[in-house]
Amino acid sequence: MSIFETLESEVRSYSRGWPTVFDRAQGSWLYSEDGKPYLDFFAGAGALNYGHNHPVLKKALIDYISRDGVTHSLDMFTVAKRDFLETLNEVILQPRSMEYKVIFPGPGGANAVEAALKLARKVTGKESVINFTNAFHGMTLGALSVTGNSMKRGGAGIPLVHATPMPYDQYFDGAYPDFLYFERLLEDSGSGLNEPAAVIVETVQGEGGINAARLEWLKGLSDLCKRHNILLILDDVQMGCGRTGPFFSFEEAGIEPDMICLSKSIGGYGLPMAITLIRPDLDVWAPGEHNGTFRGISPAFVTAAEALRTYWRDDELEKSTKAKGERIGTVFNEIVEAYPESNLVAKGRGLARGLEFPSGELAGKVCAAAFDRGLLMETSGPDSEVVKLLPALTTTDDEIEKGLGIIKDSVESVLAR
Amino acid sequence: MSIFETLESEVRSYSRGWPTVFDRAQGSWLYSEDGKPYLDFFAGAGALNYGHNHPVLKKALIDYISRDGVTHSLDMFTVAKRDFLETLNEVILQPRSMEYKVIFPGPGGANAVEAALKLARKVTGKESVINFTNAFHGMTLGALSVTGNSMKRGGAGIPLVHATPMPYDQYFDGAYPDFLYFERLLEDSGSGLNEPAAVIVETVQGEGGINAARLEWLKGLSDLCKRHNILLILDDVQMGCGRTGPFFSFEEAGIEPDMICLSKSIGGYGLPMAITLIRPDLDVWAPGEHNGTFRGISPAFVTAAEALRTYWRDDELEKSTKAKGERIGTVFNEIVEAYPESNLVAKGRGLARGLEFPSGELAGKVCAAAFDRGLLMETSGPDSEVVKLLPALTTTDDEIEKGLGIIKDSVESVLAR
Amino acid sequence: MSIFETLESEVRSYSRGWPTVFDRAQGSWLYSEDGKPYLDFFAGAGALNYGHNHPVLKKALIDYISRDGVTHSLDMFTVAKRDFLETLNEVILQPRSMEYKVIFPGPGGANAVEAALKLARKVTGKESVINFTNAFHGMTLGALSVTGNSMKRGGAGIPLVHATPMPYDQYFDGAYPDFLYFERLLEDSGSGLNEPAAVIVETVQGEGGINAARLEWLKGLSDLCKRHNILLILDDVQMGCGRTGPFFSFEEAGIEPDMICLSKSIGGYGLPMAITLIRPDLDVWAPGEHNGTFRGISPAFVTAAEALRTYWRDDELEKSTKAKGERIGTVFNEIVEAYPESNLVAKGRGLARGLEFPSGELAGKVCAAAFDRGLLMETSGPDSEVVKLLPALTTTDDEIEKGLGIIKDSVESVLAR
Amino acid sequence: MSIFETLESEVRSYSRGWPTVFDRAQGSWLYSEDGKPYLDFFAGAGALNYGHNHPVLKKALIDYISRDGVTHSLDMFTVAKRDFLETLNEVILQPRSMEYKVIFPGPGGANAVEAALKLARKVTGKESVINFTNAFHGMTLGALSVTGNSMKRGGAGIPLVHATPMPYDQYFDGAYPDFLYFERLLEDSGSGLNEPAAVIVETVQGEGGINAARLEWLKGLSDLCKRHNILLILDDVQMGCGRTGPFFSFEEAGIEPDMICLSKSIGGYGLPMAITLIRPDLDVWAPGEHNGTFRGISPAFVTAAEALRTYWRDDELEKSTKAKGERIGTVFNEIVEAYPESNLVAKGRGLARGLEFPSGELAGKVCAAAFDRGLLMETSGPDSEVVKLLPALTTTDDEIEKGLGIIKDSVESVLAR
């Protein structure tokens, strides 16, 4: 491991919890260079909803590369981009009666967020944005300013201003009405709250600790935004593309965000890709006002389109995701009940699941025990106190059971000591 | 083209100058879906220094994908990343006696810049950064704040502060001493200039109009930074990886930047990838203080390592780049002389070349005429007044001549009317 | 009135509600140039706690001017300043066992606030400040950024950042625990709240609508600040100098602010003067780091010292202020009960009293009716919906009754129509 | 001096150079409590252009106080304010064909600057302001952000942004064309300079080291502002009211600023007062959008009006100021020539005069030597290297000679050692 230690910056993090060198991967399995298999319940932090190296996507990708399809194309028109746009329109947008235009904002989720924030400010002429406690939206300066984690914010080196955090759903355990403080500040012209251009929100806060907002809270937020003429930016980078069941994580809430950020699994195969969907009337950009080098990675368009065609023409994946998610939820509740003195909490929706421990130390030990047993999971939450599961949506029932068995063992090994 | 017009945001730009749908590509050639070949003298804005779909890299890429090498791996240890780090070290850093640590900051050049700015501020505890007139560093909020173009800055929707622009080399056509104003402000405790954490600079401003700083100016800047204890961030995203001849564009200036940003051609094949090189003693990040989903795209590591091995074990590419660049320079000078009344200016270094016209309108017409003749070029500069050439370094001499012929014709068609 | 209309900026405000030209003043009475007396229940917005042109202070002032005492003295040592400091120490600080150092920050209340904010940030190295809904702290950029009123904030012309508003006492009518949101954000490292250098608070929000914080809320705030190592800045510019009874408005809450801002009535006679009291260990300024021309107006020191000697050697003024305040409160409650359908609310403490109407329009009409009847009052609150009374503390019982009679008549004339 | 040392903040500065307790003052003389006279060549940093306790003003002031004229009147209409406005109009504005409206922005010069900056931003919708190297405009956050001194800027505790410093006249000793860099940045849409709302400038930088801009530079700046549609804010707080000869220091440059800030000597007697003059069409404030407690100090209006009537109905004061200034300039030049090896520089215009030493240490020693000899002067400039003279304009020729004699002795005592 020497070259990593001597040459790579200390900022690396995942490699600290999983100190092995990975080589190959297939479906829900990663293999270290010495051949040891690891069941991957983290799936690229949600970038691999269809598993590693999915054979259908792989074939399409190799075909495309083999025939010298354009690889890099800035924001030029390409056959691959056209196919992606047409498939997105036909398979995703039209069946849901959604009217949006597509920005290719750059290769990653933070680019999707930066483009949305820029456009929201440009359209409204207002500078302020509302974010939520424990939000995570990315590491570039604009995205970081709406992210909650104080350690990550501290990395900015300048004051992160222009955003005001509001309490996320259940921040006070339901003891107080939703949006109590937020709406009071908006209605009071003396409140001192700068009038916001937009609200940016995740439906389930993954990095924040697998906090799943109730659908009625999301609906309430959407209504509040409409009442106060505030744009609603839905960051579906981690929870979109089926992670909670439906393609968009907000579908069941019955809301229509003004902007939607997608990345991670939109490319299907783990290649960098992001899009920002915007209400057509908000498309006030001048040509080139937002640009970038990696906005047209055609191999990702190819696997993205193929993934949509393969999985989203019917509701099978959605149903199976919910079923598998509920199975995990059931087992997590059993674990919670098995250690009543430990005050564990089962969290999440769909295949975004969390098990909250009283401390980050305990959660970290459980993840380490799982790694030793061949299962990859990570922690999240402000104090890293939540064991976070984002298995590929294509994980089989057997794999789910295998992983849950390892989790049970790992929890027992830590809590029963 | 209908789906592009109805579904894609108006922010798209390159597709406006090149209104055709591209399908395949090979070397310096792009092919539209109806089979028309285009000689590509723009090369992904510098992301394709080794040309489109280079056969050696393509083979390594298909081999890797075929054998189910890990595609997406966050910042985990992988065989592919190790090979890239070892090759970078062996082929690039050690032969140049360069000691740096490597940050994987995210998939694009803006991520490399954001990471550098964050770290410079964190290390120094200062918030202010010096940038240069007509700089271009990216579209995310941190990178945009050090970018000069007013149209792009306007997209931010908030005041872009924390940066002060200084005159780039030759900003006054050499009439005044270098760094006259900058150093005076630094030395005067009453100047009102906030003490800067860092200077960020390009050796040749591509987007800014192919402004090539003299080597002695770069050396002077480096000396000034040392004298005043300011970190020097060298943004080699577009000009690095051999664009001007040597691997790093600053090598001939004999300077040692504190941080170096690389992206675009570092991946070799056009897949998104970026690195930030930092002086080892500046590596003060906490683990995970800067993170992101797409920091470990192993297919890009594979093509990146293969490109380094293929082209940088000797100085052949460097020499040929310089030779081809000089050939373009010679022809550009001939064009300049052929239209004395038009006040054209030939600009650039290596294979970053520009031909400045009196107006953006004229430059645009020349690019349009070239497109009609099957050649892809773009404009740059504050008023889009510079025809900008970034051909693949692997472009053959014949292709160079062919392209130059088209350029001559195109200029004639515009200026001789 | 012609010269005012032609030459004075439209920003003037009080002269719009009181469209007459005043000439002389004595005690609680102002006289227009045509000799009409006005009972002044506004007292220079709290700058005239001892009434207009108090004879004892007037004598001291004329004596000082007559004998050519230094008028303007920057921050030089003067006999007048020494007398003020000694009197402040002997009459105010020592009897209350208060240890503070005195900054002369400039002539007005906003200067006192700006100095406190600057010092709090310098001492802590943090940039963020917590203010409260409907706070008012002044019109200069630093003070304005912690002020709530959106119209006044809009005057800044730049985004006012670096401050986050928290709910003031009773913002939710007591339905939720105090500091619920504030403390949760502080304790949650993922909340996204920038760690605050200081909290700035008024004990009674005058401009905000005569909102009197409960003493236990103030105590709770002080305890919270201590728990979280946040400096507490008490802005006593309007409510200090006896306005609510005791010299400092926070005395009865039993708290010890880290910094105290005084202005308005500190000078005694209405001449501009301000001081910022700071905990001695916070006095980390370099000499001249904060300066200004009008920090040593000796005539104001003379009347300031004389006022302290005259009124604060015993508790008579405090007692009478409370008694008069309670009398007004009683009458206001009678008014509230007399118009049950109007939902009036009686507010305030000591001689800072308010009568809240359902709309700014009604409150404005009542003030206009009072002006017609020879009584000066103003409105306050986010929608100017609160009739605001700040009579001189020296107003006689007869004058109080006379004024209350006019108020009753005025309310009746507006509500009983 | 004990109470000053124990109770007053360490931020005090003038009292460090003049360690005595002053009691009385008359004309150009200050008297310590033990009766020692000091010839005052600093005159309240320009706040006492008519000397200490001028008998004519004193009489008007005592008369006004004695007859119970309103002292404190917010922004109400008063007889005293009317008289001031009429006198200002008749004696100053009309004879100069100047059309301006008057804002009463608060009691001090920083308030005048804050109001101008706020209005400039509001009118233009732009946030950025251009200031100059070594500018001084005040200590409140808005004014401080356009001030150059790094020690004072450091007191802010937050990044001071929204302003970009440009080189003041002679910043490069005349070696380069005026406004070279400034205008180039304005004309280059890729410069990265945020489009400025306004330029703020002093005609002679007092605090910055008695740097007197040439009249043609001021004219050039005004022309540049007009060409680029930038508002010109003339900060005449220290140099106005006759300090350089004419009432406004910019009169001889033949320019018409869009806004003019006056304070210090505008009140005549040293009482706090400030006004901001604005072009009538810029008067877009909403009533009360900028307010404050001390905007109507009638005693200052009384002495202000009396001073205008006494001194500005003819050009005698202007002439004598110039003559005395030239006399000082002559002597300073003699001193410069007497110590050729010391590289002294004589600076200034009118009765704002400076003698620059090679170091702040030397300048400080000269001031200390003068204090010992009974003369008050201060240092200024970024390194306190300039001995700064701002004698009252009413200083007699004999007093001028006496003071110059002391200066000569003091310089000799320091340099000839």
Side-chain angles (χ1 to χ4, degrees), chain A residues 189, chain C residues 149 357 359-364 378-387:
Chain A
S189 70
Chain C
N149 187 287
F357 287 80
S359 73
E361 195 194 344
L362 282 176
E378 249 295 346
T379 59
S380 71
D383 301 311
S384 304
E385 76 280 20
V386 179
V387 169

Side-chain angles (χ1 to χ4, degrees), chain B residues 127 132-135 147-150 153 159-162 164-167 171-172 176-177 180-181 184-185 188-194 382-383, chain D residues 127 132-135 147-150 153 159-162 164-167 171-172 176-177 180-181 184-185 188-194 382-383:
Chain B
E127 53 80 35
F132 288 97
T133 51
N134 289 295
T147 289
N149 186 285
S150 60
R153 291 174 71 83
L160 293 175
V161 295
H162 303 300
T164 304
M166 290 291 156
Y171 199 60
F172 302 110
Y176 309 102
L180 171 72
Y181 184 51
R184 181 81 172 82
L185 287 185
D188 178 1
S189 69
S191 71
L193 183 74
N194 293 336
D383 301 310
Chain D
E127 53 81 34
F132 288 97
T133 51
N134 288 295
T147 289
N149 186 287
S150 60
R153 290 174 71 83
L160 293 176
V161 294
H162 304 300
T164 304
M166 290 291 157
Y171 199 59
F172 301 109
Y176 309 102
L180 171 72
Y181 183 51
R184 180 81 173 83
L185 288 185
D188 177 2
S189 69
S191 71
L193 183 74
N194 293 336
D383 301 310

Side-chain angles (χ1 to χ4, degrees), chain A residues 36-154:
Chain A
K36 182 171 175 189
Y38 289 86
L39 182 54
D40 183 5
F41 267 27
F42 199 60
L48 295 165
N49 282 1
Y50 315 111
H52 291 272
N53 301 331
H54 188 289
V56 175
L57 311 186
K58 174 177 167 179
K59 182 176 182 311
L61 180 60
I62 291 183
D63 285 355
Y64 187 78
I65 296 172
S66 299
R67 77 169 185 82
D68 279 336
V70 174
T71 299
H72 181 282
S73 54
L74 296 163
D75 66 4
M76 293 142 73
F77 297 147
T78 63
V79 169
K81 183 156 87 173
R82 184 174 58 200
D83 183 42
F84 168 70
L85 286 173
E86 285 173 348
T87 308
L88 178 74
N89 200 29
E90 181 204 330
V91 177
I92 302 296
L93 299 181
Q94 286 182 351
R96 289 164 180 78
S97 302
M98 292 170 75
E99 266 198 87
Y100 287 92
K101 293 188 83 171
V102 181
I103 300 170
F104 295 97
N111 300 100
V113 169
E114 295 265 345
L117 293 174
K118 285 166 72 171
L119 187 60
R121 284 164 168 151
K122 181 180 169 71
V123 166
T124 62
K126 300 171 190 167
E127 52 80 34
S128 185
V129 169
I130 297 295
N131 63 336
F132 288 98
T133 52
N134 289 294
F136 181 88
H137 299 289
M139 288 293 104
T140 51
L141 210 51
L144 186 54
S145 73
V146 288
T147 289
N149 186 286
S150 60
M151 186 267 279
K152 293 188 194 310
R153 290 174 71 83

Side-chain angles (χ1 to χ4, degrees), chain C residues 13 28 34 45 83 94 121 154 192 228-229 295 303 363 384 390 400:
Chain C
S13 59
S28 291
D34 49 14
D83 183 42
Q94 287 182 351
R121 284 164 168 151
H228 293 280
N229 204 21
R295 290 172 301 135
T303 49
S384 304
L390 299 168
I400 294 282

Side-chain angles (χ1 to χ4, degrees), chain A residues 75 77 285-288, chain B residues 8-19:
Chain A
D75 66 4
F77 297 147
W285 292 113
Chain B
E8 191 173 356
S9 164
E10 294 298 328
V11 80
R12 65 185 174 78
S13 59
Y14 293 104
S15 53
R16 295 171 192 273
W18 305 331

